[in-house]
């Protein structure tokens, strides 16, 4: 009876090793980026047509997804909307600065910390415009 139990364990282990080797083969075949992206949950968010951001200022429609779209002198930027202290979502103030409701950190319009407890500035996120004229924002895992 005990041998039967060991056999089940060995079969399971063999199966696990086979799955592991398939996983590594997928990495070697160039699917490592997709696997890494899935593991980190980094994603590209389509923020829509760039024409939707026709006026300078902070557009907070994507705050819930972790970023603000900022238009300055016709240039579009994406600034993280996640507080660098303990990851609460920030609120955009009317003067272009940002406020964290959780512990009171503040950031100036370029994302620099103006009041703690946050110590790190907000990062700008990578963006690009696709062939349809949509703004794509690379949002890191939270
Ligand atoms: S999470 Fe923003 S100040 Fe603490």
């Amino acid at each position: 009876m005990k041998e039967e139990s060991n056999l089940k364990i060995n079969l399971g282990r063999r199966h696990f090793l086979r799955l592991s080797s398939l996983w590594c083969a997928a990495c070697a075949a160039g699917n490592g980026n997709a696997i890494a992206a899935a593991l980190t949950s980094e994603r590209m968010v389509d923020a829509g047509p760039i024409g939707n951001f026709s006026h300078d200022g902070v557009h907070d429609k994507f705050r819930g997804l972790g970023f603000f779209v900022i238009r300055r002198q016709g240039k579009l930027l994406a600034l993280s909307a996640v507080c660098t202290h303990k990851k609460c979502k920030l609120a955009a103030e009317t003067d272009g600065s940002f406020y964290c409701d959780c512990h009171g950190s503040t950031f100036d319009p370029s994302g620099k910390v103006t009041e703690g407890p946050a110590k790190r500035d907000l990062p700008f996120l990578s963006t690009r415009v696709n062939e349809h004229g949509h703004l794509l924002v690379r949002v890191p895992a939270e």
Side-chain angles (χ1 to χ4, degrees), residues 83-88 90 100-105 107 116-118:
C83 182
T84 56
H85 178 231
K86 293 203 185 248
K87 300 187 175 187
C88 287
L90 300 169
C100 182
D101 238 0
C102 289
H103 310 103
S105 289
F107 302 84

XYZ file of all heavy atoms in Angstrom, residues 83-88 90 100-105 107 116-118, ligand 1:
126
model
N -0.061 57.100 -5.364
C 0.822 57.728 -4.382
C 2.032 56.838 -4.114
O 1.900 55.612 -3.973
C 0.053 57.968 -3.082
S 1.043 58.811 -1.819
N 3.204 57.456 -4.048
C 4.434 56.692 -3.832
C 4.641 56.331 -2.364
O 5.608 55.647 -2.044
C 5.652 57.485 -4.345
O 5.679 58.760 -3.696
C 5.586 57.665 -5.853
N 3.745 56.769 -1.488
C 3.865 56.389 -0.085
C 3.302 54.986 0.143
O 4.050 54.053 0.364
C 3.164 57.426 0.816
C 3.213 57.082 2.273
N 2.098 57.070 3.069
C 4.244 56.727 3.065
C 2.444 56.715 4.298
N 3.746 56.512 4.325
N 1.989 54.849 0.043
C 1.392 53.513 0.241
C 0.344 53.190 -0.820
O -0.623 52.473 -0.561
C 0.792 53.401 1.637
C 1.852 53.439 2.728
C 1.412 52.811 3.997
C 2.463 52.996 5.060
N 3.091 51.747 5.426
N 0.531 53.761 -1.997
C -0.242 53.373 -3.186
C -1.725 53.738 -3.188
O -2.513 53.096 -3.867
C -0.073 51.882 -3.462
C 1.366 51.489 -3.703
C 1.484 50.060 -4.124
C 2.933 49.766 -4.477
N 3.099 48.451 -5.053
N -2.122 54.746 -2.466
C -3.501 55.239 -2.598
C -3.613 55.993 -3.918
O -2.623 56.499 -4.439
C -3.839 56.180 -1.445
S -4.084 55.332 0.120
N -4.454 59.167 -6.124
C -4.359 60.605 -5.879
C -5.553 61.333 -6.486
O -6.192 60.829 -7.400
C -3.076 61.147 -6.507
C -1.783 60.525 -5.982
C -0.618 60.940 -6.860
C -1.542 60.929 -4.535
N -3.037 63.388 -1.872
C -3.367 62.040 -1.416
C -4.201 62.131 -0.140
O -3.730 62.658 0.878
C -2.088 61.237 -1.159
S -2.473 59.542 -0.654
N -5.371 61.593 -0.252
C -6.325 61.599 0.863
C -5.901 60.713 2.026
O -6.326 60.926 3.158
C -7.666 61.067 0.349
C -8.787 62.036 0.547
O -8.526 63.121 1.091
O -9.919 61.699 0.157
N -5.098 59.714 1.750
C -4.781 58.724 2.787
C -3.964 59.308 3.940
O -4.323 59.155 5.098
C -4.054 57.532 2.182
S -5.127 56.520 1.160
N -2.837 59.970 3.604
C -1.968 60.499 4.668
C -1.523 61.926 4.378
O -0.628 62.435 5.047
C -0.744 59.602 4.865
C -1.086 58.147 5.021
N -0.926 57.246 4.000
C -1.630 57.474 6.065
C -1.343 56.040 4.420
N -1.774 56.162 5.655
N -2.082 62.541 3.349
C -1.840 63.964 3.127
C -0.670 64.355 2.260
O -0.333 65.539 2.191
N -0.035 63.418 1.565
C 1.073 63.821 0.686
C 0.549 64.699 -0.441
O -0.589 64.536 -0.896
C 1.763 62.592 0.079
O 2.489 61.904 1.066
N 1.820 66.646 -4.299
C 2.774 66.614 -5.410
C 2.487 67.804 -6.314
O 1.320 68.159 -6.521
C 2.595 65.317 -6.222
C 2.778 64.059 -5.395
C 1.712 63.538 -4.657
C 3.989 63.409 -5.343
C 1.859 62.388 -3.898
C 4.152 62.249 -4.580
C 3.080 61.740 -3.848
N 5.257 65.390 2.511
C 5.245 63.962 2.824
C 3.971 63.539 3.517
O 3.052 64.343 3.641
N 3.923 62.288 3.865
C 5.058 61.371 4.072
C 5.673 60.755 2.808
O 6.732 60.125 2.903
C 4.457 60.265 4.949
C 3.006 60.246 4.586
C 2.658 61.686 4.316
N 5.068 60.891 1.646
C 5.697 60.338 0.432
C 7.074 60.964 0.256
O 7.268 62.159 0.525
C 4.821 60.614 -0.789
S -0.618 56.689 0.660
Fe -0.440 58.718 0.001
S 0.312 59.772 1.699
Fe 0.169 57.738 2.362
